[in-house]
Amino acid sequence: IQQAFTRRETALRSLVMFRSYAISVYSAHRCWDWPANGATVGGREGLPDDHCDNVRSLLTDIFKSVEAYCLLPRGGHARYYYTICGHREFKELEVALTTQTKRVLRGITRLFKATEVMKVHGFPSGEASRLNQFVQKMLTEWELIKAMKEYRTPHAMRGVLWAAARRLCAADEWRPALPASPTVRHPQPP
């Protein structure tokens, strides 16, 4: 049980960090200014008028895709592997997971390109590097979110642990305490 709470806390931390980096990225695109034409400020005046709106739209799309991804059911259920309907559901789930993942990655790539637009208009390379680090950290947190959702204890590992536990219980009085394997039917004594 403690492991489940730890996983939940880790996933929540990743979501919070993802959001904070996204806010930092948006703030940088909206507020940071740089020297232009000998003045100490005014460099952002050369940016396209819709630059901040485009970045905000990108971040909104990314968050919608992250939300859709997180709300998809988790794979790994036995029905996905052992039933015909489950095979069909699993294929649909894989398509949906892949689609949302591609949308998030496409949005993050476009955030890197938005920084390049600022560099074309005189944004200092040191500041661009710092801004790209925020985007890179968003990407890292996204990968952690994906890992928390997709990777669980494999069913094969559970089966091996069940078999090992059965073998460790050599005394006859311990055997009834372990559940029977769901795939093996044991004959009941008369």
Side-chain angles (χ1 to χ4, degrees):
I1 293 174
Q2 183 177 358
Q3 186 65 20
F5 284 112
T6 303
R7 287 177 58 82
R8 187 176 300 142
E9 291 297 321
T10 302
L12 182 60
R13 183 203 157 282
S14 291
L15 284 169
V16 168
M17 294 303 294
F18 185 84
R19 181 177 180 268
S20 72
Y21 292 134
I23 291 169
S24 296
V25 167
Y26 180 68
S27 297
H29 281 279
R30 182 171 173 79
C31 301
W32 288 4
D33 204 355
W34 57 92
N37 300 327
T40 57
V41 294
R44 70 177 304 102
E45 292 174 3
L47 287 174
D49 292 335
D50 61 347
H51 180 76
C52 290
D53 293 334
N54 289 341
V55 171
R56 183 180 182 139
S57 176
L58 280 174
L59 289 169
T60 301
D61 291 344
I62 289 170
F63 275 105
K64 285 179 181 177
S65 296
V66 169
E67 180 183 21
Y69 177 87
C70 289
L71 291 176
L72 288 169
R74 186 185 61 79
H77 296 292
R79 74 173 183 269
Y80 293 144
Y81 304 107
Y82 302 116
T83 66
I84 294 171
C85 293
H87 283 294
R88 190 172 36 247
E89 286 178 34
F90 186 67
K91 286 179 184 177
E92 292 172 4
L93 178 61
E94 279 186 325
V95 168
L97 288 170
T98 302
T99 299
Q100 297 308 325
T101 298
K102 285 181 180 179
R103 286 181 180 166
V104 171
L105 294 177
R106 189 178 319 122
I108 289 174
T109 301
R110 289 179 179 164
L111 286 175
F112 281 118
K113 290 179 181 178
T115 304
E116 293 301 314
V117 168
M118 291 175 74
K119 281 175 59 178
V120 166
H121 293 282
F123 192 58
S125 61
E127 296 298 319
S129 175
R130 184 163 64 137
L131 182 52
N132 280 334
Q133 285 178 359
F134 289 140
V135 179
Q136 175 62 39
K137 288 179 179 184
M138 277 180 68
L139 181 59
T140 301
E141 296 301 330
W142 165 244
E143 291 298 328
L144 287 172
I145 292 166
K146 279 179 39 184
M148 286 289 122
K149 180 168 179 72
E150 293 179 16
Y151 300 115
R152 305 279 299 205
T153 304
H155 290 284
M157 178 69 81
R158 289 182 189 152
V160 167
L161 291 175
W162 179 85
R166 294 291 283 186
R167 287 189 185 123
L168 288 174
C169 296
D172 287 336
E173 64 269 9
W174 290 3
R175 288 191 183 167
L178 290 174
S181 171
T183 58
V184 177
R185 301 269 181 202
H186 296 288
Q188 295 295 324

